[in-house]
């Protein structure tokens, strides 16, 4: 007697993880571009005249169309109607178009052009938006920042569309299997983009001894071309899977407007969505200012320009060591042999110490903050696997909020105390940044895999879109708020720049970040309260958030 067993790509662990790798690499590239100007905020002030308000307004513009034109809601509808494949390629193409516009905005070709004149004279008042205080532009905003904001808006549409598409794709390939592990691993790998950005954006901006911020943005544009290629390869894998399973994602269960009401009627959905906006608003906007915060709170000495630590080679070496840290820590999660696992962990720890030492020797804030995602890469798969097999997703969100509060308060009050202590300040900065990155890893491992437990499978794309839309409100508001709070709480710097009694170079490293950091810590407090409420609601209504994904 023979038994015929039909296997699909989804049944092959190798194929599932290959699909995940393609999606993760695409998001890795998008994460790099998302923060491509963050480590060179000081250079944007020096070369383009972007003060903190202009910088924050431009950074917040990334999600403007998603929030106020409801593009993310439309993206969710497109995803549910057209499927993962179409939406993935569309998102990659939109990201690339927006990135090219942003690149041109910061080039020397834009400076002095007719386009610069137009942007200087226009978009200074937008009826309705100005009255509501939500305009992405303002009178006096540098023309390059305005045009860059336009490109960043378009990029943001594609980036957030890609985010919900990747989440939906992982659900499709991993549902009923180790989904939390897959989501955690994808986000851990993608977040290496943050470290890559911190290391290479200043490298390209200062390459050859001549500062050109457009080179950094061009580097991001090239990577987004690669992201589009990753999505195209995924397209064919996903199409093959559907041909094997007989699924017709684009035609089954068409989206209805009433589905949004179904999603919004879930109290669990609202708690998860609000937790998401609070938590992410305390992380992503902070990333955009973190390097400058370190520049203002640590004392750096100039490195001998003829030494190894000032050479271009050290950038490559440090990045390779970072890859060793990430690869060894990540691979250790999948080693069943205890000896091999411990060996990989030891390699990762030693490489991490070397990485941190190199960051200190280079005396640059960007290479110090580059350590941010490294601990997360190692522990996110562990956390994801724990949620898959043991549960406790809501508890992890509470723990993440506690760590978030502690880290921002440390940056606000403890780190400035070490400004005169070169070594001590760097140690405090490294420890806090690593813990903050670890707290961030609790979210993808616990929050995102919880969404399929709260809504019907046919509206998962729309549910993710709604959560991302709510999240984007915070991602628009808080970069803008941080910039405004910085200028309001540092009036002497603003006045000095206006009357030329302080140079842009001096101003860039003289801000007091206490008020913005306390504001971000308060977001953590609000997230903690919601996390505790979520645990109570989960226990009363049996949402299953504390239960394992694999039963």
């Amino acid at each position: 007697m023979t038994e015929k067993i039909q296997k699909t790509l989804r049944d092959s662990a190798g194929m599932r993880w290959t699909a995940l790798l393609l999606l993760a690499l695409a998001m890795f590239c998008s994460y790099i571009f998302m923060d491509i100007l963050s480590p060179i905020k000081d250079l944007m002030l020096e070369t383009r005249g972007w003060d903190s308000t202009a910088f924050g307004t431009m950074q917040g513009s990334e999600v403007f169309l998603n929030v106020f034109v409801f593009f993310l809601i439309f993206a969710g509808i497109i995803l549910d109607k057209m499927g993962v494949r179409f939406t993935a390629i569309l998102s990659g193409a939109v990201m690339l178009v927006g990135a090219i516009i942003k690149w041109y905005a910061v080039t020397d070709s834009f400076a002095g052009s007719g386009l610069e004149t137009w942007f200087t004279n226009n978009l200074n008042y937008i009826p309705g938006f100005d009255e509501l205080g939500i305009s992405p532009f303002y009178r006096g905003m540098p023309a390059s920042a305005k045009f860059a904001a336009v490109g960043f808006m378009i990029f943001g549409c594609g980036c957030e569309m890609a985010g919900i598409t990747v989440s939906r794709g992982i659900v499709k390939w991993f549902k009923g299997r180790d989904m939390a592990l897959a989501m955690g691993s994808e986000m851990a790998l993608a977040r290496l983009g943050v470290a890559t950005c911190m290391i290479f954006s200043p490298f390209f901006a200062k390459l050859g001894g001549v500062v050109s911020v457009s080179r950094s943005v061009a580097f991001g544009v090239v990577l987004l071309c690669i992201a589009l290629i990753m999505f195209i390869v995924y397209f064919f894998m996903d199409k093959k899977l559907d041909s094997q399973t007989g699924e017709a994602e684009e035609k089954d269960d068409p989206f209805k407007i009433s589905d949004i009401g179904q999603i919004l009627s879930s109290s669990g959905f609202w708690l998860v969505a609000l937790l998401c906006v609070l938590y992410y608003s305390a992380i992503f906007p902070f990333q955009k200012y973190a390097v400058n915060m370190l520049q203002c709170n640590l004392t750096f000495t100039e490195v001998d320009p003829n030494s190894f630590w000032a050479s271009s080679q050290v950038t490559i070496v440090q990045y390779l060591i970072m890859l060793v840290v990430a690869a060894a820590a990540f691979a250790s999660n999948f080693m069943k042999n205890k000896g091999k696992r411990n060996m990989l962990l030891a390699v990762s720890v030693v490489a991490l110490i070397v990485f941190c030492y190199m960051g200190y020797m280079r005396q640059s804030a960007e290479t110090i903050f580059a350590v941010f995602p490294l601990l997360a890469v190692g522990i996110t798969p562990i956390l994801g696997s724990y949620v898959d097999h043991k549960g406790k997703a809501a508890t992890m969100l509470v723990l993440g909020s506690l760590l978030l509060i502690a880290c921002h308060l440390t940056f606000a009050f403890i780190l400035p105390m070490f400004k005169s202590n070169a070594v001590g300040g760097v140690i405090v900065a490294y420890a806090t940044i690593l813990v903050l990155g670890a707290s961030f890893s609790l979210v993808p491992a616990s929050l995102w895999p919880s969404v399929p437990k709260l809504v019907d499978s046919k509206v998962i794309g729309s549910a993710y879109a709604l959560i991302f839309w709510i999240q984007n409100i915070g991602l628009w508001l808080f970069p803008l708020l941080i910039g405004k709070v910085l200028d309001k709480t540092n009036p002497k710097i603003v006045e000095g720049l206006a009357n030329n009694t302080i140079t842009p170079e001096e101003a860039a490293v003289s801000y007091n970040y206490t008020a913005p950091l306390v504001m971000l810590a308060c977001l953590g407090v609000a997230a903690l309260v919601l996390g505790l409420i979520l645990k109570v609601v989960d226990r009363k209504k049996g949402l299953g958030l504390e239960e394992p994904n694999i039963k």
Side-chain angles (χ1 to χ4, degrees):
M1 183 175 68
T2 59
E3 184 179 352
K4 185 177 180 181
I5 301 176
Q6 183 178 6
K7 287 195 173 185
T8 67
L9 291 178
R10 190 161 48 200
D11 295 317
S12 166
M15 290 295 100
R16 284 200 308 274
W17 286 89
T18 297
L20 181 75
L21 182 62
L22 291 170
L23 295 174
L25 285 174
M27 294 309 295
F28 168 84
C29 295
S30 71
Y31 268 54
I32 291 175
F33 192 86
M34 187 187 304
D35 280 317
I36 200 70
L37 295 182
S38 300
I40 54 174
K41 177 181 180 289
D42 56 329
L43 298 182
M44 299 311 298
L45 175 59
E46 295 169 21
T47 64
R48 293 294 182 267
W50 294 13
D51 60 13
S52 292
T53 299
F55 184 83
T57 303
M58 193 286 303
Q59 294 283 38
S61 69
E62 177 194 356
V63 296
F64 181 83
L65 294 177
N66 291 324
V67 173
F68 297 108
V69 188
F70 303 103
F71 182 82
L72 251 179
I73 306 300
F74 297 129
I77 295 173
I78 292 170
L79 177 57
D80 282 330
K81 289 183 71 69
M82 304 302 295
V84 173
R85 296 191 298 274
F86 173 86
T87 314
I89 292 182
L90 177 63
S91 64
V94 171
M95 282 194 293
L96 184 58
V97 170
I100 292 172
I101 293 173
K102 185 175 179 179
W103 163 75
Y104 180 69
V106 297
T107 60
D108 293 335
S109 299
F110 177 77
S113 67
L115 198 56
E116 182 189 40
T117 302
W118 189 91
F119 272 92
T120 299
N121 297 329
N122 294 277
L123 301 180
N124 294 312
Y125 171 75
I126 302 179
F129 288 101
D130 274 271
E131 281 75 11
L132 293 172
I134 58 174
S135 176
F137 315 108
Y138 62 87
R139 187 175 300 277
M141 185 176 181
S144 58
K146 286 182 185 176
F147 194 37
V150 172
F152 211 26
M153 288 179 202
I154 297 172
F155 165 82
C157 290
C159 186
E160 296 302 318
M161 186 193 296
I164 61 173
T165 302
V166 167
S167 296
R168 175 68 177 268
I170 293 173
V171 170
K172 179 176 182 178
W173 282 78
F174 284 87
K175 190 171 184 179
R177 297 178 173 87
D178 39 7
M179 185 168 63
L181 173 61
M183 285 192 171
S185 299
E186 179 271 325
M187 192 56 71
L189 292 174
R191 284 185 182 143
L192 282 178
V194 178
T196 303
C197 173
M198 296 300 159
I199 291 175
F200 281 106
S201 180
F203 170 77
F204 284 109
K206 301 173 184 176
L207 191 64
V210 178
V211 174
S212 174
V213 293
S214 65
R215 284 197 297 259
S216 296
V217 185
F219 166 65
V221 170
V222 171
L223 290 176
L224 287 177
C225 292
I226 297 173
L228 181 57
I229 293 172
M230 295 298 102
F231 279 139
I232 292 172
V233 175
Y234 174 81
F235 176 96
F236 290 104
M237 281 192 67
D238 195 79
K239 187 175 182 180
K240 177 67 174 178
L241 174 64
D242 278 0
S243 69
Q244 293 176 332
T245 61
E247 295 175 0
E249 184 182 49
E250 296 82 357
K251 297 178 182 178
D252 288 351
D253 295 317
F255 176 86
K256 304 181 187 68
I257 296 297
S258 59
D259 291 334
I260 292 182
Q262 174 192 334
I263 296 169
L264 297 180
S265 65
S266 168
S267 60
F269 167 83
W270 274 109
L271 286 170
V272 167
L274 291 174
L275 263 169
C276 179
V277 68
L278 290 169
Y279 203 88
Y280 275 71
S281 293
I283 296 286
F284 282 126
F286 170 72
Q287 283 179 195
K288 300 181 186 302
Y289 290 87
V291 170
N292 189 237
M293 183 274 295
L294 293 176
Q295 291 170 336
C296 296
N297 284 314
L298 295 175
T299 299
F300 295 104
T301 57
E302 188 173 349
V303 178
D304 181 357
N306 297 318
S307 69
F308 169 71
W309 303 111
S311 66
S312 58
Q313 291 89 342
V314 71
T315 302
I316 307 299
V317 173
Q318 190 180 20
Y319 189 70
L320 291 175
I321 292 173
M322 185 207 78
L323 294 179
V324 172
V325 176
F330 187 78
S332 68
N333 290 279
F334 303 93
M335 288 295 167
K336 295 181 179 179
N337 183 286
K338 187 176 180 180
K340 291 182 179 179
R341 183 170 65 249
N342 290 338
M343 182 186 71
L344 285 172
L345 285 174
V347 169
S348 180
V349 170
V350 171
L352 178 61
I353 293 171
V354 173
F355 180 88
C356 291
Y357 173 76
M358 294 185 73
Y360 168 73
M361 292 300 294
R362 295 184 67 184
Q363 290 290 293
S364 65
E366 55 268 22
T367 55
I368 291 176
F369 189 72
V371 79
F372 175 68
L374 295 190
L375 186 58
V377 172
I379 70 170
T380 300
I382 298 174
L383 297 172
S385 181
Y386 186 87
V387 172
D388 281 330
H389 295 91
K390 302 292 184 181
K392 305 297 182 184
T395 301
M396 285 191 177
L397 292 173
V398 170
L399 177 59
S401 300
L402 287 169
L403 293 175
L404 181 70
I405 296 166
C407 289
H408 281 313
L409 291 179
T410 299
F411 284 133
F413 298 108
I414 297 178
L415 186 61
M417 296 168 58
F418 287 84
K419 187 172 178 64
S420 60
N421 187 332
V423 176
V426 170
I427 291 174
V428 171
Y430 270 135
T432 311
I433 292 167
L434 283 168
V435 173
L436 184 65
S439 76
F440 198 15
S441 67
L442 291 164
V443 176
S446 54
L447 189 148
W448 298 120
S450 299
V451 177
K453 297 179 180 180
L454 303 174
V455 300
D456 189 87
S457 60
K458 74 170 184 174
V459 292
I460 287 176
S462 297
Y464 278 125
L466 283 169
I467 291 178
F468 274 55
W469 178 73
I470 295 168
Q471 168 192 315
N472 272 220
I473 296 174
L475 299 188
W476 160 77
L477 178 62
F478 282 94
L480 177 64
L481 276 182
I482 293 173
K484 287 184 176 293
V485 170
L486 272 177
D487 281 341
K488 291 292 184 182
T489 56
N490 293 272
K492 291 183 179 179
I493 294 178
V494 175
E495 183 181 340
L497 284 171
N499 58 29
N500 295 319
T501 58
I502 183 174
T503 66
E505 292 81 2
E506 292 172 325
V509 295
S510 302
Y511 287 98
N512 184 327
Y513 269 84
T514 303
L517 290 168
V518 170
M519 178 177 67
L520 296 178
C522 289
L523 292 178
V525 173
L528 174 61
V529 172
L530 281 179
L532 294 172
I533 294 173
L534 181 63
K535 283 175 64 69
V536 173
V537 172
D538 176 62
R539 186 165 58 249
K540 287 184 177 180
K541 295 193 174 183
L543 299 177
L545 300 182
E546 294 283 83
E547 296 177 4
N549 293 324
I550 300 175
K551 300 179 180 179

